[in-house]
């Protein structure tokens, strides 16, 4: 073989050997990229208290779908006296599951954040086999464009078993409560529901 051809042949061999590791790097499997964002974790609905915790999680993550899963098919909402007086034209007797989910979707879509403690104070816990009757004082603070708006109320929450899991069947806002720091009277979340209904709110979006 002529010298110049021998040199070219050797150069090709060395170049090929040098490319093998590089090509190997290109085709080796890469580690998976870390996921962007995080999923919302809900606990099993094996107890009424778990459903309550899930409702808090839904509030704090503005997750209407998560709230939806905690609500019974025959859910009803009952407002406090002050809310009824503020919104006398609202037919509260028709506030069912569809209306509640429509309200929650609208509520979560129009605020910047919610801090929720639905059992800030325990009042009464009563179980009866497949139903549970829980009374608390809840504290909710809503962050929106106008600032922070606090709500605090005595509430009755009735739960029942649906198949193999618990769901919320009734939310009754009894009355607004005082802010423990300022002693100012605070409204219930019924005021939010009343404003939604008075503005023409209705069925949930699908």
């Amino acid at each position: 073989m002529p010298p110049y051809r021998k040199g070219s042949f050797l150069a090709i061999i060395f170049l090929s050997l040098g490319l093998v590791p590089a090509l190997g790097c290109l085709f080796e499997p890469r580690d998976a990229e870390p996921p962007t964002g995080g999923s919302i974790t809900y606990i099993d609905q094996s107890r009424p208290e778990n459903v309550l915790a899930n409702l808090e999680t839904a509030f704090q993550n503005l997750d209407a779908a998560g709230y939806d899963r905690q609500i019974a098919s025959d859910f009803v909402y009952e407002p406090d006296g002050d809310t009824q007086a503020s919104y006398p034209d609202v037919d509260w007797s028709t506030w069912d599951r569809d209306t509640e989910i429509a309200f929650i979707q609208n509520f979560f879509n129009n605020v910047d954040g919610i801090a929720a403690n639905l059992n800030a104070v325990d009042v009464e816990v009563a179980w009866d086999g497949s139903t549970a009757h829980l009374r608390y004082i809840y504290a909710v603070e809503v962050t929106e464009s106008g600032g922070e708006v606090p709500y605090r109320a005595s509430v009755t929450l009735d739960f029942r078993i649906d198949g193999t899991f618990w769901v919320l069947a009734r939310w009754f806002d009894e009355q607004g409560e005082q802010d423990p720091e300022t002693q100012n009277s605070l409204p219930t979340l019924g005021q939010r529901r009343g404003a939604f209904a008075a503005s023409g709110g209705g069925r949930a979006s699908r």
Side-chain angles (χ1 to χ4, degrees):
M1 179 181 292
Y4 70 89
R5 291 189 177 179
K6 182 177 180 181
S8 299
F9 180 72
L10 290 174
I12 291 170
I13 291 174
F14 287 127
L15 284 171
S16 299
L17 290 173
L19 283 173
V20 169
L23 290 171
C25 293
L26 289 175
F27 292 103
E28 285 177 359
R30 298 195 312 168
D31 293 336
E33 296 290 336
T36 56
S39 59
I40 303 170
T41 301
Y42 291 94
I43 55 181
D44 64 85
Q45 292 168 237
S46 59
R47 296 171 56 86
E49 291 89 342
N50 289 10
V51 176
L52 189 68
N54 286 341
L55 290 171
E56 283 189 3
T57 298
F59 269 107
Q60 291 167 174
N61 289 278
L62 305 180
D63 181 26
Y67 189 95
D68 188 324
R69 291 192 294 271
Q70 315 305 314
I71 303 300
S73 59
D74 56 351
F75 173 87
V76 295
Y77 171 75
E78 297 177 28
D80 58 289
D82 286 346
T83 294
Q84 292 185 61
S86 297
Y87 298 95
D89 295 330
V90 173
D91 184 0
W92 294 101
S93 67
T94 64
W95 195 288
D96 57 8
R97 184 185 194 282
D98 284 344
T99 310
E100 178 73 1
I101 298 305
F103 159 69
I104 286 295
Q105 289 174 345
N106 178 271
F107 183 26
F108 289 178
N109 286 335
N110 287 283
V111 299
D112 298 319
I114 300 175
N117 185 351
L118 298 182
N119 58 342
V121 179
D122 290 353
V123 179
E124 178 186 1
V125 176
W127 287 59
D128 183 18
S130 60
T131 63
H133 177 83
L134 310 182
R135 295 182 63 220
Y136 299 108
I137 293 176
Y138 65 71
V140 173
E141 186 169 81
V142 177
T143 302
E144 52 192 348
S145 58
E148 296 177 343
V149 183
Y151 298 86
R152 188 178 180 89
S154 297
V155 64
T156 295
L157 301 172
D158 291 333
F159 300 82
R160 66 173 177 82
I161 290 181
D162 183 0
T164 59
F165 53 90
W166 287 86
V167 289
L168 176 64
R170 175 176 174 256
W171 180 313
F172 168 40
D173 275 326
E174 299 175 19
Q175 63 179 27
E177 295 289 342
Q178 288 185 331
D179 184 314
E181 295 182 2
T182 66
Q183 304 304 310
N184 292 332
S185 296
L186 298 178
T188 73
L189 284 172
Q191 294 289 332
R192 283 273 179 175
R193 289 177 171 91
F196 167 75
S199 68
R203 299 292 176 178
S205 61
R206 299 297 181 188

